[in-house]
Amino acid sequence: MYRDGARKSIWQEEIKRFSSKAGLHQMFDAAIVGGGITGISTALQLQQSGKKCILLEAANIGFGTTGGTTAHLNDFFDTTFTEAINDFGKDNAQLLAEVGQEAIGIIETNIKNYNIDCNFERKKAYLFALDEKQEKQLEDIVDGASKVGHEMMYVDEIPFPIPFKKAVSIPDQAQFHPVKYIKALCEAFINTGGIILEDCLAEKHDEQDDVIILKTSKGEIKAQHLIYATHILPGLSILHTTNAPYRSYAMAFSLKDENYPKDLGYDLIDPYHYYRVQEINGETLLIAGGEDHKTGHEEDTGKCFSRLENYVRKYFDVETAYYSWSSQYYEPTDGFPYIGKLPDSKGKVYTATGFRGNGMIFGTISSRIISDLIINENSKYENIFNPSQIKPIAGFTSFVEENAVVAFDFIKDKLFKEKITSLHEINEGEAKVVKYEGDSYALYKEATGKVHLVKSTCPHAKCEVRWNSAELSWDCPCHGSRFNINGKILTGPSVMALQRVDPEDS
Ligand SMILES: Cc1cc2nc3c(=O)[nH]c(=O)nc-3n(C[C@H](O)[C@H](O)[C@H](O)COP(=O)(O)OP(=O)(O)OC[C@H]3O[C@@H](n4cnc5c(N)ncnc54)[C@H](O)[C@@H]3O)c2cc1C
C-alpha cells in the first residue's frame, strides 16, 4: 500500500520508494518531516540555498494527501476574496491574491530547472452557479475578486454539460500530475546532497537553545531548524483546535461520447463539485470530486462514492469508473492557512497546515515562506499566515462550531459503546466498535472470517475511532488521526498506533 487508504488513487502508480544511505549522526541545518508537496518543496528550496537537509517520512513519499489530491492549481481559493476582505482587510486580501500566481510560478520554475515531465498545463477555470442562491454567491465572489484586481469574466457558455444560471471564466489557472512532480523534486533534492528517510516516524522534539533533538522511530536526529510539513502537526497542540479534518471523495471516469471538458470546473453547491481531465496510461479520464464531510462523521463512507457517481452520471455520458479514492484536508477556523513558526516554539520550529482544498498552492508557497524565514528571517506573508495568531472575527463562529462538534463526539461515543455488547454481533465483512467485558474495541471481520481487533481509543486525545468503510480504516472524529485495520497509523496527529489485541485473548 502506498497511500493512507485502501483505495488506489489515479496518481498512485507513479509512487516510487526513495532511500538515501547516510548517517544520522551529523548536525543538519534543517530536518523536514513529511513527504508530501509541502515537505519536498521546502526541503529542495532549502537544500538549493546551501542548507544541509534531511527529509523524514513516516511511510513513503506521496503517502498522504498529495497522493490523493486532484491537483488543480488555482489562484482563487476556498476562502473567497470577499471573505478575506471582510475578515482581514483589503491589504491582507490583496496579499492573498498574490499567493496563487507566485506558487504556480515556483512550480513552473522547478519544472523548467529540473526538466520535469509532470503533464503541467495552463488552463482556464469556470465557476458556475446552479441556482439563484449560488448566483448571488457568485456575484459576491466576483465583486471581492475585482476589489483585489483578480480577473473573473462573466460568460454565457461553459465547457461542461451542466445547466447553469450564471458563470465566470478565470484565466491562467493550471493542472499537473502531483506525484510525477514531487518524485522529480525528490530526485533533485537527493542530487543536490539532500537525504530522504522513509518509514521514519517523527515522534517528538526537544528544542534547546542551540539545537533541536528530534526523536524518531529510527533514532535521534539533530538539526538547527525543524519543519513539520505533516499536513497536521503530530502530538497535541493549539493547532488541533484551530484545524478541523475533512474527507473529500474523487473518482475518474471514461466518457462514451469522448466529450471531455478541456478546462477546470467548479459549481457552488456546499460542498462543491470539482472537475478536470487527466490522461493516464494513454486513456483520457474525467476526474470529479466532492461529497466532503468532517472526518468520522459519515456513517457509510461508501455511499459518498455512489452519490458522487450518480451526480456525475446525471450530466456526463459516463462509460466506466476507473478510480475512486478519498483523502483528507484541514479546515482552518478562520479561513487562512497557518504557515510559519510553531506557536510555543523558541523560533526554530515551523509548520504549514490549514490548507483547505488549496494545498497544492499553499504547500508550494510554504516552501518559499519557510525558507525565507530561515534564511532571511522575514517573509512578506509571515503576518497573514502566522500560526500563532488566531485571526479575529472570521474564526469565531466556526471555531465555536468545530469545538461543539468535538464535545458532542465524546458524549455520543460513550452511548455508541454501550449499545453494542457482544463480539458475536459482527458479520463477515463488517466492522464495529464493540463493548466487551467493560472495554471498548474496534473490530473488523474480513470476508474470510479473519478478525482484526484493536482498542478503539485514539491515543492522541482519547476519542473513540469510527469505521471508514470506503478506505478500510479507523478514523478519529475529533482530530482526524486514522489507523488501518491492525491499528497502524495512517494519518496523524497521533504518533502512536491503536493497541492491537489478539482476539483469542479477549
Ligand atoms: C480529495 C482532495 C482533493 C484535493 N484537490 C486539491 C486541488 O485540486 N488543488 C489543491 O491545491 N489542493 C487540493 N487538495 C488539498 C491538497 O491536496 C493538500 O492540501 C496537500 O496535498 C497537502 O500536502 P502536504 O504535503 O502538506 O501534506 P501530505 O501530502 O498529507 O503529506 C504529509 C506527509 O507527512 C507524513 N507524516 C505525517 N506525520 C508524520 C510523522 N509524525 N513523521 C513522519 N512523517 C509524517 C505523512 O505520512 C504524509 O506523507 C485536495 C485535497 C483532497 C483531500
Side-chain angles (χ1 to χ4, degrees):
M1 182 169 59
Y2 294 113
R3 261 192 72 239
D4 59 3
R7 288 166 179 266
K8 188 173 167 184
S9 86
I10 194 168
W11 321 113
Q12 214 166 321
E13 270 169 34
E14 292 290 336
I15 289 177
K16 157 183 170 197
R17 285 254 159 198
F18 287 91
S19 67
S20 325
K21 286 198 176 52
L24 298 184
H25 305 293
Q26 48 182 313
M27 173 70 89
F28 293 95
D29 292 319
I32 299 101
V33 185
I37 191 164
T38 309
I40 298 162
S41 309
T42 308
L44 179 60
Q45 177 76 49
L46 286 168
Q47 187 72 28
Q48 274 173 338
S49 314
K51 300 286 179 197
K52 188 162 62 166
C53 298
I54 182 165
L55 175 76
L56 316 175
E57 163 55 51
N60 55 266
I61 295 299
F63 186 79
T65 304
T66 302
T69 186
T70 52
H72 299 224
L73 299 172
N74 308 120
D75 66 0
F76 60 96
F77 308 115
D78 292 357
T79 299
T80 66
F81 293 115
T82 309
E83 287 163 341
I85 293 168
N86 290 344
D87 296 336
F88 303 102
K90 192 161 165 224
D91 287 350
N92 288 329
Q94 199 102 43
L95 208 47
L96 179 70
E98 291 176 26
V99 168
Q101 287 305 329
E102 191 171 335
I104 299 173
I106 294 172
I107 292 171
E108 279 184 299
T109 305
N110 281 333
I111 290 172
K112 189 161 158 261
N113 287 350
Y114 299 107
N115 201 15
I116 303 173
D117 173 10
C118 61
N119 315 120
F120 177 90
E121 279 180 83
R122 281 280 180 179
K123 295 272 174 188
K124 268 191 205 155
Y126 289 83
L127 270 180
F128 41 92
L130 306 183
D131 58 29
E132 274 172 25
K133 188 172 156 232
Q134 291 176 36
E135 206 176 333
K136 286 203 178 63
Q137 220 179 311
L138 182 64
E139 285 162 4
D140 193 51
I141 289 172
V142 175
D143 182 48
S146 75
K147 288 186 179 137
V148 294
H150 192 289
E151 197 179 357
M152 293 187 178
M153 280 163 305
Y154 284 105
V155 288
D156 296 328
E157 285 179 15
I158 60 170
F160 300 88
I162 301 171
F164 66 99
K165 282 217 162 269
K166 210 166 210 174
V168 290
S169 85
I170 309 160
D172 283 334
Q173 310 303 300
Q175 65 175 44
F176 69 162
H177 187 308
V179 172
K180 283 187 186 174
Y181 175 71
I182 59 165
K183 200 166 75 171
L185 295 195
C186 285
E187 277 154 12
F189 175 65
I190 290 173
N191 290 341
T192 46
I195 295 172
I196 295 182
L197 213 54
E198 293 186 316
D199 298 316
C200 181
L201 180 77
E203 291 164 357
K204 61 178 180 185
H205 71 266
D206 176 17
E207 185 181 8
Q208 300 175 0
D209 287 340
D210 53 348
V211 66
I212 296 161
I213 300 175
L214 180 65
K215 188 169 173 288
T216 80
S217 56
K218 293 203 167 167
E220 278 186 3
I221 292 173
K222 292 193 176 105
Q224 294 295 327
H225 299 92
L226 172 63
I227 297 125
Y228 283 110
T230 45
H231 209 178
I232 190 70
L233 194 72
L236 281 165
S237 151
I238 177 81
L239 288 171
H240 299 114
T241 61
T242 57
N243 284 281
Y246 277 74
R247 307 289 304 165
S248 188
Y249 295 76
M251 298 184 78
F253 306 93
S254 61
L255 302 181
K256 279 186 222 144
D257 60 6
E258 305 261 318
N259 200 5
Y260 292 95
K262 63 180 190 318
D263 292 306
L264 309 173
Y266 314 80
D267 64 29
L268 291 169
I269 298 175
D270 184 18
Y272 64 91
H273 299 102
Y274 43 102
Y275 306 95
R276 63 164 282 192
V277 163
Q278 173 72 33
E279 195 177 301
I280 290 283
N281 302 329
E283 180 107 39
T284 305
L285 299 176
L286 169 74
I287 304 174
E291 295 298 330
D292 309 14
H293 62 78
K294 197 161 185 278
T295 301
H297 286 247
E298 170 69 47
E299 235 168 70
D300 185 351
T301 47
K303 282 194 182 145
C304 297
F305 287 115
S306 3
R307 282 199 296 270
L308 180 60
E309 178 164 354
N310 289 341
Y311 187 82
V312 174
R313 281 185 184 277
K314 235 164 68 181
Y315 300 111
F316 294 87
D317 195 10
V318 168
E319 187 174 43
T320 308
Y322 277 93
Y323 296 88
S324 57
W325 72 97
S326 67
S327 200
Q328 190 145 305
Y329 65 92
Y330 296 87
E331 285 281 323
T333 50
D334 55 17
F336 272 25
Y338 304 107
I339 306 166
K341 286 185 188 161
L342 192 67
D344 294 338
S345 146
K346 290 179 184 150
K348 298 281 174 70
V349 185
Y350 301 82
T351 191
T353 188
F355 295 159
R356 306 192 78 175
N358 307 116
M360 297 288 104
I361 296 296
F362 289 128
T364 301
I365 206 71
S366 299
S367 69
R368 178 154 290 168
I369 297 173
I370 292 171
S371 55
D372 279 351
L373 288 174
I374 289 176
I375 294 163
N376 308 323
E377 296 188 353
N378 64 67
S379 155
K380 67 173 174 174
Y381 300 115
E382 85 181 270
N383 289 331
I384 64 168
F385 299 146
N386 183 351
S388 297
Q389 264 179 38
I390 297 172
K391 290 117 199 166
I393 310 157
F396 188 69
T397 326
S398 47
F399 182 83
V400 171
E401 274 169 14
E402 295 302 354
N403 280 291
V405 170
V406 169
F408 175 68
D409 283 333
F410 281 113
I411 299 159
K412 202 170 158 218
D413 282 332
K414 280 205 180 319
L415 297 174
F416 183 55
K417 273 199 302 186
E418 301 301 332
K419 250 172 56 186
I420 300 162
T421 51
S422 162
L423 286 173
H424 306 295
E425 289 181 12
I426 309 298
N427 297 320
E428 277 75 18
E430 265 186 14
K432 270 179 184 163
V433 174
V434 297
K435 194 172 160 89
Y436 187 70
E437 293 185 353
D439 273 325
S440 174
Y441 300 91
L443 174 86
Y444 172 61
K445 204 183 258 181
E446 285 185 25
T448 59
K450 188 173 177 205
V451 168
H452 301 264
L453 190 60
V454 290
K455 285 270 176 86
S456 64
T457 305
C458 175
H460 178 245
K462 312 292 178 218
C463 298
E464 294 298 304
V465 294
R466 298 199 187 145
W467 182 237
N468 177 343
S469 61
E471 298 287 359
L472 303 187
S473 61
W474 291 106
D475 296 1
C476 179
C478 292
H479 305 103
S481 295
R482 299 177 54 247
F483 307 87
N484 79 4
I485 51 174
N486 294 318
K488 192 169 176 263
I489 304 167
L490 293 174
T491 309
S494 182
V495 289
M496 284 167 72
L498 291 178
Q499 193 186 326
R500 203 169 164 180
V501 183
D502 182 346
E504 302 305 317
D505 299 341
S506 53

